[in-house]
Amino acid sequence: MTAVAARPVSPVLRRDRRRWGWGLAALVAVGWSLLAAVDGEVVNPAGSVQFGRFAAAALSPALDGAFLGVLGTAALVTVAYAVLGTVLALVLGAAGAVLVARTTWGRRRLGWAAARGVLAVPRGLHEAVWGLLLVNVLGLDPWVGVLAIGLPYGAVTAKVFADLLDEVPRGPYEALLAQGSGRTAAALYGLVPQAAGGLLSYAFYRLECAVRSAVVLGLIGAGGLGYQLSLSFASLRWPEVWTAVYALALLCLAADVAGRAVRRRVAAPRRGADVLSRDRVLTAAVAAALAGVVWSWWFLALSPASLVSARAREQAGYVLGAAWPPAADGDLLREVVRQSVVTVQTSVLAIAVATAGAVLVAGVAARPAGRSARGRRVAGSLLRAALLLVRAVPAPVWALVLLFVLLPGVLPGALALGVYTLGVLGRLAAEAVEEADARPRTALAALGARPSGGWLYGVAPQAAGPALAFALYRWEVVVRDTLLVGLLGAGGLGALLASRLAAFDWAAVTTVLLATVALTLAVDLVSDRARRALR
Amino acid sequence: MDLTVGPAERVAVVGASGAGKSTLLAVANGAVPPSSGSVEVLGQDPAVLRGPALRRLRARVGTVHQHLELVGPLRVVHNVNAGRLGSWSAARAAWSLVRPQGLPEVLGALERVGLADRVFDRTDTLSGGQRQRVAVARLLLQDPELVLADEPASALDPVLAGRVLELLAGPASRDGALLAALHDPALALRHCDRVVGLSAGRVVLDAPAAALTVADLAAFYGAPA
């Protein structure tokens, strides 16, 4: 501010350049992806008959005893993988959190940044990619499923645990240090208790995610529900496919509901009269989880010996030797670039579909704050149930279905991921609407505005920021999932990886994996910058 | 409670917190239905009107609730233009968020509250007192017949508070009416013709302002003058 008294007489409307830049870039990216998606033949007319048969079987799933028995066992396998994978992730995460927390490194920023950078590699590779790599080292061993979930989840968990510990108020910790406690003891008494609620609820959130990942690992051959689904799919037994889809939707739903109940309980603890009385529900949940670990170990017949068997060591040595240095011939690099572009286009289109859908459904899916008509409430409940169902079925299943009628390429992957992500984003956007301050809308209604006016001027401006931030964050997740959908044949880097793996061309596999990690890091960076411009 | 406000009247509602001032204003603008009895606003009962008829009535009643009705992430121009949503079509309302409509009127209203230079700023960058004036500018643009104001000057200095009350009394001088909940006795006496005191939801005082002193009102609040 200068001390000049004269103020501009007619102010000019200045757009926020950064935001407009990002908005324009997003529009261009979506348009470019859309052009690529509808380029050439996209529809597979021959598949429509098969699709019709598939759709017709939706209402007549296979319910014979033998198949249900098989599915039941498969569901147990999936749960066992999820439980053991989560436990491994939590152990790795707790140990890793110490290594990547700012508290540990203090002012040594370089060491901290390096530790974080190391974590980015396991995090950047999808569980399914880990599964495919491990199966080549360990063979068909149950450890593959456990490690494929545990390693990448462990890296994410380490980062989140470290952030939780770093965000806790430092006063008690520093007071303990000042009175001469060791750093470990001070952290146990001053930091961990404050973060305990967050740590516990994140652990249960990971268990929910692990169930979904275990299903996906089954699709690429690790056993369990996903494996049964892919078997029935490959042999075109549609009623069985539908039974498996319903079963895994139920399983994911159960994990979702139970996990959220536990997390809500952690967030709002009951006040007990006794000082040392514990919350029974939480105690039971933790005890059940621990019993589940023992049972899963027994059920999967895990043997630590197979991890260090001579065969595994020999195989690991061979793969690692063949994988380095990465292949760098021109044909492969050109293909990597081409497929990276396809991957980005798929993810951009998917997130655009999901965001547009979420904007459309958010208003109806949000629980209204005050009184509302019965029709409005019924529509809201139905929409919320539909969103739940849509996100309970993993994206690759949607992709497999769409591949009946669409040719492999950008479109089937984008639509499959878009539908699944819509389930997630729709709920988040509805929550953003519910959290918006209701007073502006009430005031607009009081001055005679139409419902649409109250929505445009009262609710949307408040909900748009958080909803867009969620969409950008989900884009990072979608890019990782694009690889997975690609592995199953929808195109992109995932498809390239699958073909190189099938050919045991390990040097090329390394190149593709490096490209994958670089791509996910780049997307994380762009999304983070865009979210900052939104604030 | 039995209260009638006639044309061209400027009424101050006073009373301790929780006496029912805000509820009285909410019933008067139709946001809350009366639990018993009936309300007539500008000759019509908002409880029996529906749809467009109710909207037309509500467009004739302007309410200022401190500044809590403004949306922080919107620019000031849109928050002020929201005063015209009662007469705008949905399409025009939507387009105005892209290209602000009727800018000269918005600037005029903001000029009268002394904020014309902030027209394109985001509302959440303004101070509490500035937001209160934006809320008043919205009401000026709405141009209602009946003005309901809940502590419209709580965050303003005495000079601005007086200016804002003059603006709010504008409709009353054209045969409209002003009903304002006020905490400041001096302001109530200077800008209103009649003072209504509430206690536990009942009218316990109803007198012309000329017959009261600041000390009377201070005693009513239970505070020493």
Side-chain angles (χ1 to χ4, degrees):
Chain A
M1 261 314 241
T2 52
V4 181
R7 284 181 166 176
V9 181
S10 57
V12 278
L13 176 60
R14 264 196 216 94
R15 308 282 186 194
D16 183 333
R17 284 234 183 104
R18 257 187 341 156
R19 285 198 190 181
W20 274 79
W22 281 112
L24 216 60
L27 271 184
V28 169
V30 172
W32 170 64
S33 307
L34 200 60
L35 283 180
V38 296
D39 187 29
E41 298 253 326
V42 287
V43 181
N44 173 19
S48 56
V49 179
Q50 210 47 275
F51 184 78
R53 280 187 208 139
F54 165 79
L59 294 177
S60 56
L63 292 173
D64 56 295
F67 185 66
L68 285 185
V70 171
L71 267 194
T73 319
L76 289 180
V77 172
T78 300
V79 171
Y81 276 133
V83 169
L84 286 182
T86 311
V87 167
L88 178 63
L90 292 179
V91 171
L92 290 177
V98 177
L99 292 179
V100 298
R102 261 177 204 280
T103 314
T104 315
W105 292 95
R107 296 235 177 95
R108 285 160 287 184
R109 293 200 56 126
L110 198 67
W112 175 77
R116 288 252 153 159
V118 170
L119 275 191
V121 175
R123 232 161 18 99
L125 296 182
H126 195 279
E127 301 94 84
V129 176
W130 277 104
L132 287 175
L133 293 178
L134 286 165
V135 96
N136 278 287
V137 173
L138 296 172
L140 282 175
D141 192 276
W143 274 109
V144 171
V146 177
L147 289 174
I149 296 175
L151 293 178
Y153 274 31
V156 181
T157 309
K159 179 176 174 287
V160 172
F161 275 14
D163 286 348
L164 281 172
L165 284 176
D166 285 343
E167 279 162 18
V168 152
R170 325 279 304 159
Y173 173 69
E174 273 153 20
L176 285 168
L177 284 184
Q179 72 176 44
S181 319
R183 294 222 294 169
T184 314
L188 276 180
Y189 276 77
L191 292 182
V192 175
Q194 297 191 71
L199 298 178
L200 190 61
S201 62
Y202 187 74
F204 275 97
Y205 169 69
R206 270 294 131 195
L207 185 58
E208 282 170 60
C209 300
V211 169
R212 213 160 280 151
S213 292
V215 169
V216 166
L217 283 173
L219 286 174
I220 59 158
L225 262 187
Y227 185 57
Q228 286 307 326
L229 175 67
S230 64
L231 283 185
S232 302
F233 217 103
S235 47
L236 310 183
R237 273 176 273 175
W238 306 129
E240 287 186 16
V241 169
W242 277 105
T243 317
V245 164
Y246 290 139
L248 68 87
L250 268 179
L251 191 62
C252 292
L253 215 72
D256 208 70
V257 169
R260 215 169 333 144
V262 169
R263 284 187 286 135
R264 213 171 282 162
R265 195 79 182 214
V266 174
R270 292 250 168 112
R271 303 224 167 271
D274 288 318
V275 181
L276 257 182
S277 77
R278 295 172 197 285
D279 187 321
R280 288 222 185 104
V281 176
L282 282 185
T283 315
V286 171
L290 290 179
V293 173
V294 176
W295 170 81
S296 306
W297 188 281
W298 166 81
F299 186 71
L300 290 180
L302 279 188
S303 142
S306 57
L307 274 184
V308 288
S309 69
R311 192 185 154 277
R313 260 181 300 175
E314 189 186 310
Q315 192 64 19
Y318 164 70
V319 168
L320 287 177
W324 201 262
D329 57 294
D331 279 346
L332 178 68
L333 290 184
R334 267 191 295 281
E335 188 61 16
V336 163
V337 169
R338 194 158 52 230
Q339 296 304 334
S340 301
V341 168
V342 169
T343 301
V344 171
Q345 286 169 330
T346 308
S347 68
V348 166
L349 212 54
I351 201 68
V353 167
T355 310
V359 166
L360 287 181
V361 302
V364 183
R367 286 188 183 82
R371 300 160 287 160
S372 59
R374 173 179 290 179
R376 163 76 184 74
R377 283 203 306 273
V378 171
S381 304
L382 284 179
L383 201 52
R384 281 194 295 277
L387 289 176
L388 203 70
L389 196 68
V390 157
R391 68 174 179 269
V393 180
V397 176
W398 291 115
L400 286 176
V401 170
L402 285 168
L403 279 173
F404 279 131
V405 281
L406 300 172
L407 293 171
V410 171
L411 203 56
L415 286 182
L417 286 165
V419 167
Y420 168 75
T421 310
L422 169 60
V424 181
L425 270 188
R427 191 187 100 204
L428 291 174
E431 281 172 4
V433 168
E434 284 167 20
E435 277 162 25
D437 189 348
R439 286 173 297 197
R441 195 185 191 182
T442 318
L444 290 171
L447 64 80
R450 287 158 215 281
S452 66
W455 180 255
L456 274 174
Y457 280 73
V459 181
Q462 296 186 72
L468 272 181
F470 284 136
L472 282 166
Y473 171 70
R474 276 316 288 198
W475 182 41
E476 299 175 13
V477 181
V478 168
V479 170
R480 290 184 175 85
D481 282 352
T482 310
L483 285 163
L484 166 69
V485 175
L487 280 176
L488 292 163
L493 275 179
L496 181 60
L497 183 66
S499 80
R500 294 301 86 202
L501 274 171
F504 299 111
D505 184 353
W506 292 107
V509 166
T510 313
T511 311
V512 178
L513 289 183
L514 288 176
T516 306
V517 172
L519 190 67
T520 41
L521 280 182
V523 166
D524 285 8
L525 200 72
V526 172
S527 144
D528 188 60
R529 282 287 168 85
R531 268 181 291 165
R532 238 179 268 175
L534 269 178
R535 265 178 230 148
Chain B
M1 175 185 292
D2 185 8
L3 182 68
T4 307
V5 177
E9 254 193 320
R10 296 175 299 171
V11 180
V13 182
V14 299
S17 293
K21 302 187 301 271
S22 297
T23 310
L24 171 65
L25 295 180
V27 170
N29 82 4
V32 174
S35 50
S36 65
S38 68
V39 182
E40 200 170 280
V41 179
L42 302 171
Q44 288 174 296
D45 181 356
V48 301
L49 291 179
R50 290 276 173 278
L54 178 62
R55 281 210 307 273
R56 273 195 297 276
L57 172 63
R58 293 183 125 190
R60 293 164 62 200
V61 180
T63 315
V64 186
H65 324 72
Q66 298 178 2
H67 52 83
L68 302 172
E69 68 272 43
L70 302 180
V71 181
L74 274 186
R75 291 170 194 269
V76 168
V77 58
H78 300 309
N79 266 316
V80 175
N81 257 337
R84 296 196 272 200
L85 287 182
S87 53
W88 277 2
S89 69
R92 187 162 186 206
W95 178 239
S96 179
L97 286 173
V98 184
R99 289 241 149 231
Q101 303 287 294
L103 202 51
E105 294 94 318
V106 175
L107 279 171
L110 284 170
E111 193 76 60
R112 289 166 75 189
V113 295
L115 275 178
D117 56 329
R118 306 301 297 269
V119 57
F120 292 127
D121 285 353
R122 261 176 66 140
T123 309
D124 50 13
T125 63
L126 269 54
S127 72
Q130 288 170 329
R131 284 187 222 185
Q132 215 159 35
R133 282 141 69 196
V134 172
V136 172
R138 172 193 280 191
L139 183 113
L140 292 177
L141 217 60
Q142 186 190 345
D143 194 20
E145 291 159 49
L146 168 63
V147 176
L148 305 168
D150 193 355
E151 299 299 341
S154 59
L156 301 176
D157 64 54
V159 176
L160 276 174
R163 173 109 191 88
V164 157
L165 273 169
E166 273 168 32
L167 289 172
L168 292 180
S173 65
R174 298 189 296 272
D175 268 356
L178 167 67
L179 188 62
L182 291 171
H183 258 130
D184 182 352
L187 216 53
L189 293 182
R190 190 163 344 116
H191 292 280
C192 297
D193 319 305
R194 181 177 157 200
V195 177
V196 171
L198 296 187
S199 175
R202 299 184 181 284
V203 178
V204 291
L205 169 80
D206 190 348
L212 294 166
T213 64
V214 170
D216 291 336
L217 285 187
F220 184 76
Y221 281 112

